[in-house]
Amino acid sequence: MRGLMRLMLGALLAWSAYWPAEAQAPATPQPVASETACSAAGAEQRVLSGIVDGGTLRLEGGDLILLAGIDVPRGLAGEGKGAAGAAVAFLEDLTRGATSLQIVAAGRDRYGRLLAQVFDVDGRLLQAEMVAAGLARVRPYPHGVPCVAQLLELEREARRAGKGLWRTEFAVISANDPSLIGRKGLYVIVEGFVLSVGQGNHVDFLNFGRFWQRDFTVLVGAPIATRFAETGLDTAALAERRVRVRGVIEESGGPAIRLNDFRELEILDDD
């Protein structure tokens, strides 16, 4: 029995080592600050050393900064290819000539990177500039940042205008798209009509089809359902509503997204 337990523990540790870095939460969850606060007040001045990729900066002294609250195509600076190259080039332009940046850090992730809002000397939020250009999507979880509402509005404008990557890599996927299950492990944005809501003891299910073994589902855990309730929305009231949801595709019968932040779901009835 002990040998079997050791074998199972070893397999679990090996599996966790290969889990994608971006899918992992910070080592210590950070409280989400005011959703409207979005300024460089109280920021620390740091000297920029270089660009690692479209979402990561290196500071003098060796610290790596992860631009919290956004998702960008990954690719190392200097490769100059495709969507990742476009994000890197834009970030390089944003920071060109900068001798220092204003950093509002919210902690570190398990890899030691600082999770932060980053402003230039003129007070421009780098995340907001990248989202407005269509080269980044909003990603409230796992890093969480203030001013998510502002970033989401900038994202809507960029998406409607077809800026940057919104006609290609960032294209919104229909909840009825059969390719969703093939995107397991990827961060996506999905839109569709909630056909019904199933409520369990710990998880509510937003069903986008009649066949759970193949149709798209959104999983809403009790803590997120509570946050919805605090905003005046009962999960059950999402039935027969058109919504936009963002997150990592997993398999739960059919393709599914598990909400980790209540801001990962938007109601689109009037959009």
Side-chain angles (χ1 to χ4, degrees):
M1 177 65 71
R2 291 180 179 176
L4 177 60
M5 291 179 67
R6 290 194 190 99
L7 181 61
M8 292 175 64
L9 179 58
L12 178 62
L13 291 173
W15 172 82
S16 64
Y18 287 96
W19 190 258
E22 290 306 309
Q24 299 189 34
T28 303
Q30 301 297 324
V32 176
S34 165
E35 293 170 33
T36 57
C38 189
S39 75
E44 179 185 2
Q45 295 284 128
R46 297 289 299 272
V47 176
L48 176 66
S49 173
I51 306 297
V52 178
D53 61 33
T56 312
L57 310 173
R58 180 179 288 107
L59 301 178
E60 191 174 84
D63 268 332
L64 294 181
I65 294 281
L66 193 65
L67 297 179
I70 62 173
D71 173 74
V72 299
R74 295 295 172 181
L76 297 178
E79 292 181 347
K81 297 178 181 178
V88 169
F90 187 82
L91 188 56
E92 288 175 337
D93 285 342
L94 276 179
T95 57
R96 182 165 288 116
T99 56
S100 65
L101 296 171
Q102 303 179 77
I103 309 298
V104 181
R108 292 181 185 269
D109 68 6
R110 66 182 64 219
Y111 303 102
R113 298 174 298 188
L114 283 168
L115 308 172
Q117 293 182 91
V118 181
F119 300 82
D120 65 15
V121 292
D122 296 319
R124 295 185 303 169
L125 178 63
L126 300 192
Q127 283 98 318
E129 297 295 322
M130 295 194 69
V131 169
L135 294 172
R137 295 177 288 192
V138 180
R139 188 170 187 173
Y141 177 87
H143 307 137
V145 290
C147 69
V148 166
Q150 175 184 325
L151 292 177
L152 284 171
E153 182 55 37
L154 291 172
E155 182 190 271
R156 290 185 198 106
E157 293 172 2
R159 183 171 54 249
R160 287 167 179 161
K163 289 185 178 179
L165 303 175
W166 283 107
R167 297 187 187 277
T168 53
E169 279 81 357
F170 288 173
V172 175
I173 305 168
S174 168
N176 299 319
D177 192 324
S179 73
L180 273 175
I181 193 63
R183 300 172 189 263
K184 184 178 176 181
L186 300 180
Y187 186 79
V188 298
I189 298 179
V190 178
E191 290 183 5
F193 183 79
V194 180
L195 187 65
S196 64
V197 177
Q199 294 186 296
N201 292 329
H202 304 291
V203 179
D204 293 341
F205 303 88
L206 308 186
N207 303 309
F208 290 73
R210 299 184 185 279
F211 303 100
W212 65 269
Q213 289 183 317
R214 70 164 187 249
D215 293 328
F216 179 64
T217 305
V218 172
L219 310 176
V220 185
I224 305 303
T226 298
R227 289 294 283 121
F228 277 133
E230 291 171 354
T231 68
L233 177 66
D234 187 332
T235 307
L238 290 170
E240 300 184 356
R241 307 292 293 273
R242 192 166 66 89
V243 302
R244 177 186 302 126
V245 62
R246 64 190 67 224
V248 176
I249 291 289
E250 61 180 77
E251 187 171 357
S252 180
I257 286 178
R258 186 180 305 272
L259 295 187
N260 293 290
D261 188 300
F262 76 102
R263 295 166 298 187
E264 291 174 332
L265 183 143
E266 304 166 76
I267 296 175
L268 302 181
D269 295 349
D270 300 319
D271 192 355

